[in-house]
């Protein structure tokens, strides 16, 4: 069934990793709040300024009203005094006059807020000062006791001057009163406007900050949810063995998680592919082993039947049957050894052994095979003592020799070497066979693997020999390898610590 999945690509909207994105979510509303706070502080300062100005104008209005009242009282009292000459009334007028100067000082201070008020206040002070001079001069005349013609004329003159100053004083008072009232109303309106702006900015700041915080949170959570959904969907696609979604992108931990998952998926698929190939190779191996075991069994059976039918050939047939049974036993031993080595249950028994003993033991084992193909053997052995398992190393070298003999043409030459290289002893078997291509060299030491070059592909085997060799050499902390090319023979070598 063909399954098609829609591909989803989710890129990180906010820059940076998850911690930095969290700072963005916190920082954006905070920056907006700070901006609004500056505006609110400005509006609050303006409101306080307008409130102070309004208070000053109201105070000016109150002081002007008090000044008008005191001015009227002093005029009435002074008129009565001129008529009754009562000193108590003169004392009262003097006291009110002092209060009048106090009111003028307060008015002068508040009137400095505007040039118009200051001009009016200066005129009012000048008029009051002239009135004060009139009061003092009239008081001096009355305190002389005798009211002659000259004094009466002077007193009349002062009274006439006062009558001229009173309308002027009243005019200045009226101007100052009207002007202060206008300023008070304007300041009150400006204060109300500033208060309205402040309230609006506070409401706007609260709404915008809340909206930005909510939108940033939704954006952040939505981005994470979508990108994690892609990774979760990739787990399903991996289980279904389908192609994964495109990378989620970004530079945060979710992107790192996605990359790690993709790397894991790649390794898992490669491992599954290797496992599939291994299962396939095992199937082929079991077929070869069944064939290899059946052939010796059939040969052994035929040898036994011939021995029973012809007693004269009994010894020869029994010997042939024994070799076939030994071949079967060797196949089974190879399989068991591989499983033991992989399971870590394979034991080695290291002892002091010479390199010459290992080479001679391996040559003795394969001498019959060498003679059958009439091969010439050249050896170069440097005597050195090793601490290793003699039987296993001899088996490794014997396996390499068996392969070299198997793939060498009739009458070819073999070269065997055991030399010291720094702190390693290097064993080498070189043949004149068909050689091995570079691709096969990469996996030739794996389980159930065989080279695929020239006549080597025509010679069937279980593919366990070189795998066992590698495992034995690894158990000795050594290395094993091959140097070969198609048509130029092969050189198999292994080295272990001296």
């Amino acid at each position: 069934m063909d399954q098609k999945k829609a591909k989803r690509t989710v890129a990180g909207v906010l820059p940076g990793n998850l911690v930095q994105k969290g700072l963005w979510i916190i920082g954006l509303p905070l920056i907006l709040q700070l901006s609004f706070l500056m505006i609110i502080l400005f509006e609050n300062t303006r409101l306080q300024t307008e409130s102070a100005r309004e208070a000053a104008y109201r105070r000016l209005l109150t002081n002007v009203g008090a000044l008008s009242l005191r001015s009227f009282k002093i005029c009435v009292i002074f008129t009565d005094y001129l008529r009754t000459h009562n000193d108590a009334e003169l004392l009262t007028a003097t006291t009110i006059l002092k209060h009048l100067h106090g009111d003028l000082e307060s008015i002068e201070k508040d009137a400095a807020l505007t040039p118009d008020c200051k001009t009016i206040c200066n005129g009012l002070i000048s008029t009051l000062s002239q009135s004060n001079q009139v009061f003092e001069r009239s008081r001096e005349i009355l305190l002389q006791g005798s009211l002659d013609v000259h004094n009466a004329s002077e007193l009349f003159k002062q009274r006439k001057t006062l009558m001229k100053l009173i309308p002027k004083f009243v005019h200045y008072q009226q101007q100052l009163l009207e002007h202060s009232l206008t300023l008070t109303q304007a300041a009150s309106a400006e204060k109300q406007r500033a208060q309205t702006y402040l309230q609006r900015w506070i409401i706007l700041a609260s709404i915008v900050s809340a909206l930005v915080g909510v939108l940033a949170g939704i954006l952040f959570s939505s981005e994470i949810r979508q990108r994690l959904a892609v990774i979760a969907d990739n787990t399903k696609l991996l289980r279904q063995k389908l192609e994964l979604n495109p990378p989620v992108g970004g530079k945060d931990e979710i992107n790192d998680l996605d990359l790690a998952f993709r790397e894991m998926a790649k390794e898992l698929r490669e491992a599954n592919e290797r496992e599939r190939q291994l299962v396939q190779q095992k199937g082929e191996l079991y077929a070869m082993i069944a064939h290899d075991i059946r052939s010796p069994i059939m040969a052994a059976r035929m040898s036994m039947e011939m021995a029973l039918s012809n007693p004269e050939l009994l010894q020869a047939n029994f010997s042939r049957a024994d070799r076939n049974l030994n071949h079967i036993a060797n196949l089974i031993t190879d399989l068991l050894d591989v499983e033991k080595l992989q399971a870590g249950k394979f034991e080695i028994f290291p002892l002091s052994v010479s390199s010459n003993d290992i080479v001679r033991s391996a040559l003795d084992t394969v001498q019959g095979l060498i003679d059958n193909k009439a091969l010439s053997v050249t050896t170069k052995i440097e005597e050195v003592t090793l601490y290793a398992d003699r039987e296993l190393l001899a088996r490794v070298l014997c396996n390499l020799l068996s392969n070299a003999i198997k793939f060498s043409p009739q009458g070819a030459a073999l070269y065997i070497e055991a030399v010291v290289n720094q702190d390693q002893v290097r064993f080498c078997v070189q043949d004149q066979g068909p050689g091995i291509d570079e691709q096969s060299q990469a996996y030739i030491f794996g389980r159930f693997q065989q080279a695929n070059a020239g006549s080597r592909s025509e010679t069937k085997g279980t593919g366990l020999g070189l795998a066992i060799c590698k495992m034995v050499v690894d158990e000795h902390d050594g290395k094993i390898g091959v140097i070969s090319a198609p048509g130029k023979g092969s050189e198999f070598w292994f080295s272990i610590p001296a």
Side-chain angles (χ1 to χ4, degrees):
M1 180 178 178
D2 185 19
Q3 298 182 0
K4 294 184 179 179
K5 303 282 295 181
K7 301 302 177 186
R8 293 177 290 179
T9 302
V10 183
V13 178
L14 296 175
N17 55 33
L18 292 180
V19 174
Q20 293 170 337
K21 290 179 179 180
L23 292 177
W24 272 102
I25 292 177
I26 297 173
L28 283 176
L30 185 60
I31 292 172
L32 283 174
Q33 289 174 359
L34 290 175
S35 302
F36 282 123
L37 180 61
M38 296 298 292
I39 297 173
I40 290 172
L41 289 175
F42 171 77
E43 292 295 335
N44 185 58
T45 302
R46 193 162 72 92
L47 176 62
Q48 291 178 354
T49 302
E50 295 301 330
S51 297
R53 185 178 285 115
E54 181 193 23
Y57 291 152
R58 288 188 182 279
R59 189 168 56 249
L60 177 63
L61 188 63
T62 301
N63 290 332
V64 170
L67 179 67
S68 301
L69 182 61
R70 287 192 176 98
S71 299
F72 177 75
K73 284 182 178 181
I74 200 170
C75 289
V76 171
I77 292 172
F78 188 72
T79 302
D80 292 340
Y81 176 74
L82 292 177
R83 182 169 43 90
T84 62
H85 303 289
N86 188 347
D87 292 337
E89 292 180 350
L90 182 62
L91 182 62
T92 302
T94 304
T95 303
I96 294 175
L97 190 61
K98 291 180 180 179
H99 286 295
L100 205 63
H101 283 288
D103 291 339
L104 275 175
E105 290 178 359
S106 299
I107 290 172
E108 186 178 14
K109 185 185 299 183
D110 293 332
L113 295 174
T114 62
D116 293 340
C117 282
K118 190 172 182 180
T119 301
I120 297 172
C121 187
N122 289 335
L124 190 63
I125 292 172
S126 176
T127 305
L128 184 62
S129 178
Q130 294 177 23
S131 300
N132 190 33
Q133 292 177 2
V134 171
F135 289 149
E136 290 296 329
R137 178 60 183 156
S138 299
R139 183 170 172 272
E140 290 175 359
I141 295 172
L142 292 173
L143 288 176
Q144 290 179 4
S146 60
L147 191 64
D148 53 14
V149 176
H150 177 72
N151 288 339
S153 176
E154 183 66 21
L155 189 62
F156 179 76
K157 182 180 179 181
Q158 295 298 326
R159 184 177 180 183
K160 185 177 179 181
T161 302
L162 181 62
M163 291 299 105
K164 291 180 179 179
L165 290 174
I166 287 175
K168 188 176 181 181
F169 187 80
V170 172
H171 174 70
Y172 281 129
Q173 280 185 332
Q174 187 67 28
Q175 276 189 323
L176 188 59
L177 186 64
E178 291 176 356
H179 196 66
S180 60
L181 181 60
T182 303
L183 291 175
T184 301
Q185 292 174 348
S188 179
E190 190 65 27
K191 174 187 173 182
Q192 185 65 33
R193 189 159 46 248
Q195 192 171 10
T196 302
Y197 284 157
L198 180 61
Q199 292 173 351
R200 289 177 180 176
W201 277 114
I202 292 174
I203 295 172
L204 181 62
S206 302
I207 294 174
V208 172
S209 297
L211 286 177
V212 170
V214 171
L215 289 176
I218 292 174
L219 179 65
F220 181 63
S221 60
S222 175
E223 177 196 359
I224 292 179
R225 182 183 60 79
Q226 291 179 10
R227 298 169 76 201
L228 289 178
V230 173
I231 298 177
D233 188 49
N234 282 338
T235 61
K236 298 178 182 178
L237 296 176
L238 179 63
R239 187 167 58 248
Q240 298 170 4
K241 299 181 179 180
L242 299 175
E243 184 181 354
L244 300 182
N245 292 312
V248 297
K251 297 181 180 179
D252 55 8
E253 291 81 355
I254 296 179
N255 180 60
D256 296 339
L257 176 62
D258 182 55
L259 294 178
F261 179 82
R262 290 176 182 280
E263 186 66 24
M264 181 200 69
K266 179 182 177 182
E267 293 177 358
L268 184 60
R269 285 177 172 175
E270 290 176 353
N272 288 338
E273 180 62 22
R274 288 194 298 269
E275 184 67 21
R276 186 192 64 79
Q277 293 177 358
L278 186 60
V279 170
Q280 181 180 356
Q281 292 164 0
K282 276 187 176 182
E284 296 173 356
L285 169 71
Y286 292 150
M288 287 189 295
I289 290 177
H291 179 270
D292 288 348
I293 291 177
R294 184 181 63 178
S295 297
I297 290 176
M298 294 298 296
R301 180 181 178 185
M302 291 177 62
S303 298
M304 297 296 292
E305 290 177 352
M306 290 176 64
L308 292 174
S309 63
N310 190 352
E312 296 178 357
L313 301 176
L314 183 63
Q315 184 64 36
N317 287 321
F318 273 144
S319 298
R320 191 177 297 112
D322 182 63
R323 285 195 301 271
N324 288 323
L325 293 174
N326 284 335
H327 181 62
I328 295 172
N330 289 334
L331 285 174
I332 296 173
T333 300
D334 283 347
L335 284 171
L336 293 175
D337 286 347
V338 169
E339 297 301 326
K340 286 181 180 179
L341 282 167
Q342 285 204 327
K345 298 178 180 179
F346 196 88
E347 295 181 351
I348 62 173
F349 300 96
L351 296 171
S352 295
V353 59
S354 70
S355 57
N356 186 60
D357 287 344
I358 295 174
V359 174
R360 294 304 171 191
S361 176
L363 281 173
D364 290 342
T365 303
V366 298
Q367 189 60 50
L369 299 175
I370 292 174
D371 294 340
N372 285 340
K373 281 199 170 183
L375 302 177
S376 62
V377 179
T378 302
T379 61
K380 178 184 177 181
I381 303 172
E382 294 182 2
E383 185 68 28
V384 62
T385 301
L386 306 172
Y387 188 70
D389 191 315
R390 178 182 180 278
E391 297 299 327
L392 288 179
L393 289 186
R395 184 175 174 184
V396 171
L397 190 57
C398 182
N399 202 318
L400 298 181
L401 285 170
S402 297
N403 286 340
I405 295 168
K406 185 191 328 183
F407 296 110
S408 292
Q410 192 76 19
L414 289 179
Y415 177 75
I416 304 169
E417 181 181 80
V419 296
V420 179
N421 183 10
Q422 296 181 353
D423 59 345
Q424 301 281 319
V425 179
R426 187 175 187 273
F427 294 86
C428 168
V429 176
Q430 185 174 353
D431 62 43
Q432 295 179 338
I436 306 170
D437 59 69
E438 186 175 355
Q439 183 179 2
S440 298
Q441 294 177 32
Y443 59 80
I444 195 171
F445 291 99
R447 291 177 63 187
F448 317 125
Q449 302 289 345
Q450 288 189 327
N452 192 21
S455 61
R456 285 185 182 266
S457 61
E458 300 172 2
T459 307
K460 299 297 182 181
T462 60
L464 292 174
L466 291 178
I468 294 175
C469 291
K470 185 177 187 312
M471 292 178 183
V472 171
V473 172
D474 289 343
E475 288 292 324
H476 284 81
D477 297 325
K479 296 180 180 179
I480 189 170
V482 60
I483 302 173
S484 182
K488 296 184 179 180
S490 301
E491 178 184 335
F492 282 86
W493 60 271
F494 68 92
S495 62
I496 60 172

